[in-house]
Amino acid sequence: MSSPTPADALLLVNMQNSFCAPAGVMYAPFGPALQDIDEIIERCAEVVAFARAAHTPVIYFRQVFQPGYADYGPLEPHVQRLLVARGGLTAGTWDAAIVDGLKPADGDLVVDGNRRDAFYGTSLEILLRSMGVRHLALAGVATNSCVETTARSAAVRDYAVTVLADCTTSRSSGHRRLSLTTMSEYRIAGIATGGPTLFRD
């Protein structure tokens, strides 16, 4: 269902070369790539244009790690081994950068973190509070991982959240569908499609 009020900010999660570009380290490391990712990039670009036209802040969250991966943590050691072997998601590299077609413009904001939650250990909440954001629109990848984790984290901080269903995807259509259904039925987030109704002055 569409949100009844405009979003105060747009947050794009993990729209990085590593996940979204065929040469990316995390593009298809252990199975299928993110479904319909080229179309998702195009739809995200359209939504970014709507947000900018409405003077709505656009924020990019990047998952990045320090050289040497001292900040990686103990979980998923097989993923860490892959990242170490190929230099994936290292801060300052092409792999960690925002994918072509969604490059931040002057005035956009970029938040870096090293967990699936865009709030955890980052400046995101300070930015949102400082800008008076109460309603956050979410897009990005993957629906059932970093997007849902960030939506839950925003909800427990008392933000209204709208996930843009046509601007997010997963490696499995079933996982994407279940994630969107769960967020909607448990009132974690409203589910909408990106467009001018969500971003207006």
Side-chain angles (χ1 to χ4, degrees):
M1 70 182 166
S2 296
S3 173
T5 59
D8 298 319
L10 171 63
L11 176 63
L12 294 106
V13 176
N14 287 6
M15 296 302 292
Q16 299 164 256
N17 289 319
S18 193
F19 303 104
C20 302
V25 172
M26 294 300 294
Y27 183 75
F30 308 110
L34 293 163
Q35 295 194 337
D36 303 316
I37 188 59
D38 290 340
E39 289 83 355
I40 297 301
I41 292 169
E42 291 178 4
R43 291 174 192 153
C44 284
E46 292 174 357
V47 169
V48 167
F50 285 131
R52 288 175 180 156
H55 307 290
T56 301
V58 177
I59 307 168
Y60 294 83
F61 172 68
R62 300 183 302 194
Q63 192 171 3
V64 301
F65 299 97
Q66 295 298 316
Y69 301 91
D71 52 347
Y72 184 85
L75 299 180
E76 297 184 321
H78 64 296
V79 176
Q80 184 178 16
R81 286 193 294 270
L82 172 67
L83 294 175
V84 169
R86 296 185 57 190
L89 292 174
T90 302
T93 64
W94 173 89
D95 198 67
I98 303 299
V99 71
D100 286 345
L102 284 174
K103 294 295 185 184
D106 289 343
D108 294 342
L109 301 166
V110 179
V111 173
D112 289 340
N114 48 37
R115 295 296 183 269
R116 297 179 185 186
D117 178 358
F119 286 89
Y120 183 80
T122 75
S123 61
L124 179 59
E125 187 167 12
I126 292 173
L127 285 174
L128 297 181
R129 300 289 185 201
S130 297
M131 294 187 295
V133 172
R134 299 302 308 148
H135 178 192
L136 185 63
L138 282 181
V141 297
T143 315
N144 60 312
S145 181
C146 297
V147 173
E148 183 174 341
T149 301
T150 297
R152 289 176 179 272
S153 193
V156 300
R157 289 170 168 81
D158 297 323
Y159 291 97
V161 182
T162 299
V163 173
L164 304 177
D166 58 339
C167 296
T168 183
T169 190
S170 181
R171 301 184 190 279
S172 158
S173 59
H175 290 167
R176 175 184 176 275
R177 183 171 57 252
L178 180 59
S179 179
L180 292 172
T181 299
T182 298
M183 286 188 282
S184 176
E185 291 190 354
Y186 284 86
R187 303 296 189 269
I188 296 161
I191 307 300
T193 55
T197 57
L198 197 61
F199 301 101
R200 60 185 189 272
D201 287 325

